[in-house]
């Protein structure tokens, strides 16, 4: 895994981002580089429990898009973001590039389409590693986890008609609503990532339990499934989304 980004580096990048919003607001367009809207998005992300590095990745991308628009409209290119902020964004991008893109909706951004690709790849390659209820010892940790996980798996992982799961079909319909604004689509995306984090953290715990309890019918495959899940949680920055059970 790549070197973990520290809290101090994240905070420094956030401070740099705020500074650049103010600079570009004075240089080009205060309505385009609106620091108040940035602060509102930050407070909303804290309110709903979005990890700061996940928020930062999206905001760096947003700022770069705004910067490009302003520079093309008003002036030649200028240096803005710090080298470290650029490196962080590039690192975030490189983590997810190994996952396939599923073009399930034209309004979904690349990160959302790659998260969907990650889920689809898991379904096609590791779904069989998830045990059924009768394989687990009644009252065991694995059996308790399975009871919590099963409805989430049925909704988010299992495909219908060989295409998409019920959750992702519903996600696509929400994105397609005529009344859905950009902020609505951002909120929908955040909920998708949050729910995926909840499920994949639970599955990581389940795989660890069945390996510990020696109830897996194929420990090697279970181990590979666990590695895939843990890497996906890290790569998409959703490892902090955990249910209190």
């Amino acid at each position: 895994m790549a070197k973990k980004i520290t809290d101090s580096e994240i905070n420094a990048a956030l401070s740099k981002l705020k500074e650049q919003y103010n600079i570009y607001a004075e240089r080009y367009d205060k309505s385009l580089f609106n620091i108040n809207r940035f602060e509102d998005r930050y407070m909303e992300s804290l309110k709903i429990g979005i990890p700061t590095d996940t928020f930062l990745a999206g905001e760096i991308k947003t700022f770069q898009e705004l910067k490009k628009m302003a520079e093309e409209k008003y002036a030649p290119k200028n240096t803005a973001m710090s080298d470290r902020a650029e490196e962080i964004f590039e690192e975030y991008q490189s983590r997810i590039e190994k996952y396939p893109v599923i073009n399930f909706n034209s309004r979904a951004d690349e990160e959302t389409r790659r998260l969907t690709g990650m889920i689809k790849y898991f379904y096609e390659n590791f779904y069989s590693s998830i045990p059924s209820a009768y394989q687990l010892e009644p009252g065991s940790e694995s059996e308790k986890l399975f009871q919590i996980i099963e409805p989430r798996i049925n909704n988010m992982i299992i495909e219908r008609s060989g295409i998409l799961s019920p959750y992702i079909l519903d996600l696509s319909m929400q994105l397609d609503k005529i009344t859905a604004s950009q902020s609505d689509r951002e909120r929908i995306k955040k909920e998708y990532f949050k729910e995926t984090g909840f499920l994949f953290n639970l599955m990581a715990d389940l795989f660890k339990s069945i390996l510990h309890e020696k109830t897996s019918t194929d420990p090697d495959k279970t181990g590979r499934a666990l590695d895939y899940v843990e890497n996906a949680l890290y790569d998409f920055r959703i490892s902090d989304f955990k249910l209190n059970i």
Side-chain angles (χ1 to χ4, degrees), residues 19 33 51 65 67 74 91 114 134 144 172 236 241:
E19 177 187 333
F33 296 95
E65 291 171 351
K67 181 180 74 170
Y74 297 109
E91 181 183 331
R114 287 193 186 276
Y134 75 85
K144 292 175 184 177
S172 184
F236 286 96
F241 292 127

Side-chain angles (χ1 to χ4, degrees), residues 98-139:
K98 59 178 169 286
Y99 299 98
V101 172
I102 301 297
N103 295 311
F104 72 98
N105 189 287
S106 61
R107 289 187 170 185
D109 63 14
E110 180 187 350
E111 191 174 34
T112 301
R113 287 181 283 129
R114 287 193 186 276
L115 183 70
T116 306
M118 181 276 289
I119 292 173
K120 185 173 178 63
Y121 185 91
F122 176 86
Y123 176 76
E124 292 172 345
N125 294 273
F126 297 111
Y127 174 69
S128 61
S129 299
I130 300 172
S132 56
Y134 75 85
Q135 293 176 290
L136 302 172
E137 182 71 26

